[in-house]
Amino acid sequence: MAADVHKKKGWEVPNGSLAPGDGQHAERSESPTPGLAQGTEPGAGQEGAMFVHTRSYEDLTSPEDGAAAARSPEERRGEPAEPTSMEQISKDFSELSTQLTGMALDLEEEMRQSKEGKLEPSPQTTHRDSVLSGKEEEDVTMDAWRMHRKHVFVLSEAGKPVYSRYGSEEALSSTMGVMMALVSFLEAEKNAIRSIHAGTALGGNGMWGLMACLAVLLPWATLAVPRGRLVAGGRGCSLAPPCSPGEPGLQVCPRPSRGTPSQADGYKVVFVRRSPLVLVAVARTRQSEQEIAHELLYIYYQILSLLTWTQLNHIFQQKQNYDLRRLLAGSERITDNLLDLMAHDPSFLMGAVRCLPLAASVRDAVSTSLQQAKAKSLVFSILLSGNQLVSLVRKKDQFLHPIDLHLLFNLISSSSSFREGEAWTPICLPKFNSSGFFHAHISYLEQEMDLCLLLVSTDREDFFTVSDCKRRFQERLRRRGVHHALQEALRTPFYSVAQVGIPDLRHFIYKSKSSGLFTSPEIEAPYVREEEKERLLGLYQYLHSRAHNSSRPLKNIYFTGPRENLLAWVTSAFELYICYSPLGTKAGAISAVNKLMKWIRKEEDRLFILTPQTY
Amino acid sequence: MSGRRVDAKVVLLGQEGVGKSSLVERCAHRRFRPGPYQNTIGAAFVAKVMSVGDQTVTLGIWDTAGSERYEAMSRIYYRGARAAVVCYDLTDSSSFQRAKFWVNELQNCEEGCRIYLCGTKSDLLEEDRRKRGVDFHDVQDYADEIKAELFETSSKTGQSVDELFQKVAEDYVHFTAFQVMTEEKGVDLGQRSGAYFYSCCHH
C-alpha cells in the first residue's frame, strides 16, 4: 500500500484564489505566554497528535503556495503583536467596536424568514426511506422543493446528473444543463467567478428565475466583465463591479446588512469543480461561499470514499458521458446523511473531532485494550459512540485526517445495517490515500449499546484475523473491568454547560488546534427545537466565516444580538466560540472566557484524548 | 478468505433490493423488519450454527451488497464458498436476469460451489397472484439445467427460509462426507490393484 501519509496538500488543490483566512505560523511558539502556545493549549495531546495536522477547513481549500502571498500585509504586521494573554484579550475586546451588532437585525430577519419558509418538510420526512423501494421522489415543480434551504447537485462534466439532495436527478436534467453552461462559462473566465449571489424579489421562483436569467445573461457577461461578480437581482440581472485586482475570486461578498427582508434572504450559488465532477450548492443559509464550498468538497470526498479517485477518473477517461449513478446506487442515503450532519454537527465546521467525555483511566484502559488487539494488517482501530470518538489507536507514523474520520463517522451513522453481524467493506480514505481501498471491519460491541468498533485493515483477505482482533479487544475490556464504566459514560454522552458554573454561559465550542479535537456541551434551552439549534450553529458558522475570512480575517469577534451574545477568539493554538445571555455584558463575557479556559484545562483529560496510542 | 471458525462458507448473491439481508435476518435472528430498508455496505458476515443429524455445522454466511459498485470486489466474498444462495425477487423479472449473471460468474470461477436459487418475497404472491414476475417452471427448468436447488421463500412469513439453510447445511455434510470417502476409502485401481489381488489370494 503506497500510502501517502503526510499528503496534506495534494492533487485537490484549487487555484490560488482560495486563500486561507488564518495565516498561521507553526513556529509562533515564541509567543509571550507559553501556556497558550500551540501544543500546550488545553486539549493538546501530550505525546503528539492523532491526526494529520490541519489548521481548520482551510486545509481543504487552501492553495499550495498562495497561502502566504494572499495574506494581507496588515495581518502579517499584526502577527507578532497577536494577543495571547488574557489581559491583552480583554483589552482588545473592550476596544473592539460593536460594529457587528448591525448584522444581528439582518440575521434575525433571515431566521424569521426561514421559519416562515417552513413549508419544507422536516428532514426526517424528506429522507429517502429506502433507496431500494425507490427514493421518495419530490416533485421538483412544487414550492416545497424550492423552499429547501440548501440544494446540492453533483453532475459530471458532461452534464449528466450524479446526485441531487432533493428530488430525482432525472427530473432535474434541464437544470443540470443550465448549470453545466454556467460552469463552462466560469471555466472560460479562468475561475474568476466561483459564486453567484441573488436577491429573492423573485420569491419562490428565485432559483429558477436566477437560472433562467443567467442563461440569458451569459453571452454578454462573458464579454463585459472578465473578473466581475454576478449579482442577479429581482427583475433582472446586473453585474457587480469587478473585484479589485488583489481580491481573490472566491470571497465573502458583502451583503446588504440592512436590506429589506427579501433582499436579505438571498441565494448563493456556489460551484466547485473537481474533474470529472462538478458540485453545485444553491443555499439560502448565512454561510460564506468558503464554507459552502467546503461542504461541497466533503460531498466530493464522500464520493471518493466509495469509488477512489483513481477509479472515478478511470471511468470518465473511458467514457465521458458515463452515468455515475449506476455505481453510486444505494449511496444516496450516505450523502444525504452527510449533508444533514453538516447542518447540525459543528465537527465539520471546526474541522475537528469531538471526544466522548470519559474518565482518563477508563479511556486509557480502552486504548490499551485496543492497542493490544492488533494485527499486522491493521492501520487504525477506532472506537466511537454516536459521532464522538472514544479511542483511536493507529499504526506508528500513520496519521488519520479529521476529514477521513468524519467520513467514517458519517458512514456509520447513516446506516443501521452495521448493527447486524460484522461488516467488511472496502473504503477509501481520500485524504489519506485517494487511490486505493482499505477494508474496514465495522461492528457494534453489543446490540443495545451505542459503541461501534471500526478496524481499518490494508488486506482485504484478512477478515477473520481482524474479526479475531475484535474478539480479543472485547475480552481485554472485560478483564480490565471497564465495561461497566463505559456503559455509564455512554448514558451521558454530553455534558451540561451548567457544569462550568458560569450562569450566563449558554454554550461554547473550544477547539485545540494541535490535537485536532474540540469539545462542546450539549445544546440546551433556549435552543430546544431543531430550528433553534440550527440557528445557533448558523451563528457559529457566521462567526467562523468572519474569523476565517480570506481577505479580512478577525482574531476577536464580539457579537451582540437580541437573543444572545457571542464571542469568538481565534489564536494560533485554539479557537473558542462562546454563546451567552443577551443580558450579559462584554466584561462579563471576558471573565467568562477566563473561567471557561480554566475549567477546560481542569477537565481536559476527560474531554480530550491527551495520550494517543500507537500499536 | 477462510477461517477455522466456520465449517462452510455460504455467500448470498443477487440484485440489490431482492432481500438478501432480510433473508439472513430471518435465518439468523428469526425476525423480520419491515422497512425502511438500507443498502448493505460491502458485505456483512454472520455465523450460524446448524444441526444435521447428530452433527453441528457452522455456516459462515456472507450477505453481500447488491450494488454494482461492489461487483468488481465480489470475488473476495464468494471465493472458496461451498454454497451460494443466488436470490431474485419473485415479482421482478429483471432480478432473475441478474441472478443468471451470478450463476454464470460462479460456474466460471467457483466450480466447487453448490448453487441454491432463491425466489424471495413469496408473501407478495400470496396477496396477489398476478404479481408474479418470474415463472416457477421456467426457473425449475433452469435450476435443473445448472444442477441447482430451487426455493421460493418469504422472509416476512418465514416460509421455506429454514428449509433453505437446512438444505445448505445438509448438503455440506453429505457432500463433505462423500468427499472424505472418495479421498480416503476410494479404490485406486491404478496403484493398488496388485496389492489387492495379492492379499486376496492369501486369505
Side-chain angles (χ1 to χ4, degrees), chain A residues 173-377:
Chain A
S173 50
S174 59
T175 320
M176 300 277 184
V178 176
M179 286 180 192
M180 218 39 240
L182 279 173
V183 168
S184 32
F185 164 68
L186 300 185
E187 289 292 302
E189 296 307 319
K190 296 197 178 65
N191 275 332
I193 299 167
R194 295 287 190 88
S195 63
I196 298 161
H197 301 250
T200 47
L202 296 162
N205 279 319
M207 200 181 108
W208 296 113
L210 167 67
M211 287 296 169
C213 75
L214 279 170
V216 176
L217 184 74
L218 293 180
W220 64 264
T222 317
L223 294 170
V225 192
R227 292 206 66 210
R229 263 173 290 149
L230 275 171
V231 177
R235 292 231 169 75
C237 297
S238 62
L239 279 170
C243 310
S244 58
E247 223 172 335
L250 190 156
Q251 50 138 10
V252 180
C253 194
R255 298 170 48 192
S257 55
R258 281 175 201 83
T260 62
S262 65
Q263 277 171 334
D265 196 22
Y267 287 95
K268 283 190 191 109
V269 185
V270 180
F271 298 89
V272 166
R273 183 171 189 163
R274 284 290 178 278
S275 186
L277 299 180
V278 176
L279 300 100
V280 185
V282 180
R284 291 196 291 127
T285 60
R286 177 161 277 273
Q287 288 166 293
S288 69
E289 289 79 353
Q290 267 179 335
E291 283 167 339
I292 297 170
H294 163 63
E295 292 191 354
L296 288 177
L297 278 169
Y298 260 103
I299 301 302
Y300 171 70
Y301 287 130
Q302 167 54 40
I303 293 171
L304 289 189
S305 80
L306 296 168
L307 299 175
T308 73
W309 182 80
T310 314
Q311 195 189 344
L312 182 69
N313 277 274
H314 181 73
I315 290 165
F316 282 97
Q317 270 161 20
Q318 300 286 309
K319 199 175 166 209
Q320 274 200 325
N321 63 348
Y322 184 82
D323 186 354
L324 197 62
R325 283 177 300 168
R326 273 179 57 191
L327 276 189
L328 293 176
S331 72
E332 298 88 344
R333 189 187 193 90
I334 306 174
T335 313
D336 291 350
N337 193 68
L338 180 60
L339 283 163
D340 290 341
L341 211 55
M342 286 193 288
H344 293 103
D345 187 339
S347 307
F348 298 88
L349 177 68
M350 303 308 296
V353 176
R354 178 154 38 177
C355 301
L356 178 83
L358 193 61
S361 58
V362 178
R363 199 185 312 271
D364 286 347
V366 171
S367 298
T368 311
S369 305
L370 260 189
Q371 183 196 32
Q372 285 168 345
K374 63 182 171 189
K376 218 175 150 195
S377 73

Side-chain angles (χ1 to χ4, degrees), chain A residues 114-115 117-129 136 138 144-145 147-149 165-167 336 340 343-344 529-531 534:
Chain A
S114 73
K115 243 179 286 159
K118 274 293 168 199
L119 280 174
E120 68 183 282
S122 73
Q124 280 72 29
T125 53
T126 54
H127 267 186
R128 290 147 197 184
D129 282 340
E136 204 178 294
E138 242 183 279
W145 185 81
M147 294 310 289
H148 288 299
R149 276 168 65 78
R165 187 180 189 185
Y166 305 108
D336 291 350
D340 290 341
H344 293 103
R529 286 176 307 149
E530 245 354 273
E531 54 262 43
E534 259 180 68

